[in-house]
Amino acid sequence: VRKAMKPNTKLVFSETPANPLLTLCDIEAVSAIAKEGGAKHVVDATFATPVICRPLDHGADMVIQSLTKYYEGHNMMVGGAVVSKDAELAEKVKWVQNVHGNILHPFASFMIMQTTKTMALRVRQQSKTALAIAEFLESHPKVTKVMYPGLASHPQKDLADKYHRDNLHGGMLWFDIVGGSEAGTRLMNTIQRPWSLCENLGATESIITACAVMTHANMLPEDRLKVGITDGFIRVSCGIEDTSDLIKALKAALDQV
């Protein structure tokens, strides 16, 4: 980040955990670099939610949240939020919002206000389930790699422990399946309820996605591989269903791949 800074750099943008690779950002370190260069540090913490990580407490200037995901959590509404550390930044955002007319309609605002009331409960259950599924996948012979910030094997586990609150690491994980995109397609065709197939995340339903043939199908294979999304890359968003039911269905589908 320091090498990328220029005299005219005004903003440093980070995402933690990042979608879909779940790489983590050292918020305090990046915030310090941004401050040294006279820039603001903006963090997209959608995957973490404030239940797990609060970047403003670690030096960031602004936080972006996709309300569509964990805040709303029921696949009904879309929205977003920008949270500023001080009133001056908030006023600047409000001015831009007013000029462009980017506001939620009243019913979406009402619904998201209601669903946010249960977000902490949902995120705790989703995190618990995600850890159990990640641990199951690490032992499955059809899986070559599992990435989840709560696993000891995560290469940035120290950052997860530093920034994630209450030993919660979120409902998102990914794994690499033997057999590439063909195996991923078979898994999508075989997986049973309670799993759902779609391209959303953070909902009460558990969602599984073969990224090479779904969310990132429009990317050139070489570009997709360059950023770390392999042919067998499977993204998982854990919901609030019974954990054992999810593992049972996932095992049955993997065993058939």
Side-chain angles (χ1 to χ4, degrees), residues 107-120:
F107 184 63
S109 301
F110 170 76
M111 291 299 293
I112 293 172
M113 285 177 66
Q114 305 315 305
T115 55
T116 298
K117 295 174 182 177
T118 62
M119 180 172 68

Side-chain angles (χ1 to χ4, degrees), residues 36 39-40 45-46 75 118 149 156 166 168 174-175 190 197-198 209 211 221 228 231 246:
E36 289 171 11
K40 302 295 184 182
T46 293
N75 295 306
T118 62
Q156 296 176 298
D166 298 332
L168 299 173
W174 66 269
F175 64 95
T190 305
L197 302 184
C198 75
T209 306
C211 290
D231 292 340
L246 290 165

